[in-house]
Amino acid sequence: MAEHDSDREDREPDETGVPFDEAAAWAAIVAGYGDEPPDPPGAKPYKPVEDLALPAMEEDAAEPGPAEEQRPAQPLGSSVSFAPGVGPRDYTAPEPSEDDFDDDDEGHFVPPEPPPLPTADTTARFAWLGVVGGPILLLLAVLLGWDMTWWLATAGIGGFLGGFVTLVTRMKTDDDEDGDPGRGAVV
């Protein structure tokens, strides 16, 4: 609080005797609505869109006259415009033919058919049912306003935990090699 008081010592005191007329302030805002404020002194007005690519002309503030009326014949750096349907985007790549390929080219790559998914045994199916079905059962119970009984909580939480533990313990490990993993590269 002391910091705020010390900051106020350097400033002038607030005017307390002059009431603020809010209605007059709003009336001034409404009266000036839509009017463009004047440009600050020394500011140049914006160029019209048609003159944006034209070079900047030296303007004499004392003598406006023929210099402002003169315009260059061609704008500088104008962009190229195309008629609809004509232009750089109407290009299509030519279709490849057999003559385009060299002896080294083998043509378009077609990946082989992927192997079928392995069939899951009954234990894995029930484990996935518990992992997915347990949270869905609890979510349905909350959304539908069911009473959270002991058997509903046990089925939801227990199904998830039991299915998760079952899937983790049945994961295959890469211990197929009997060698020491720290012995370096094998040639």
Side-chain angles (χ1 to χ4, degrees):
M1 193 63 149
E3 295 90 20
H4 297 294
D5 293 338
S6 64
D7 291 342
R8 292 180 186 219
E9 292 173 1
D10 298 337
R11 296 187 303 163
E12 295 180 15
D14 294 336
E15 293 183 55
T16 56
V18 179
F20 178 69
D21 188 8
E22 189 174 346
W26 278 109
I29 291 172
V30 171
Y33 182 75
D35 293 343
E36 186 173 335
D39 291 333
K44 293 181 181 177
Y46 288 112
K47 290 181 178 182
V49 174
E50 297 84 21
D51 296 342
L52 285 179
L54 297 176
M57 309 217 43
E58 294 294 327
E59 295 183 14
D60 245 350
E63 229 178 275
E68 290 181 354
E69 296 170 5
Q70 294 177 355
R71 292 177 127 177
Q74 289 290 332
L76 298 178
S78 66
S79 61
V80 179
S81 57
F82 296 96
V86 178
R89 292 197 176 135
D90 64 351
Y91 174 77
T92 56
E95 292 293 325
S97 66
E98 292 298 323
D99 299 335
D100 294 339
F101 299 116
D102 296 338
D103 294 335
D104 296 337
D105 291 334
E106 297 175 0
H108 182 69
F109 174 73
V110 178
E113 188 70 26
L117 293 174
T119 58
D121 59 340
T122 307
T123 305
R125 288 182 185 174
F126 276 110
W128 278 110
L129 179 68
V131 167
V132 175
I136 289 176
L137 178 67
L138 292 175
L139 183 66
L140 281 175
V142 170
L143 291 177
L144 298 177
W146 296 343
D147 289 334
M148 191 64 68
T149 58
W150 66 269
W151 64 268
L152 186 63
T154 303
I157 296 171
F160 174 76
L161 292 176
F164 181 76
V165 169
T166 302
L167 289 174
V168 169
T169 55
R170 292 174 52 103
M171 287 175 60
K172 294 183 180 180
T173 60
D174 292 335
D175 291 340
D176 296 339
E177 297 179 15
D178 293 333
D180 184 18
R183 62 187 167 119
V186 178
V187 180

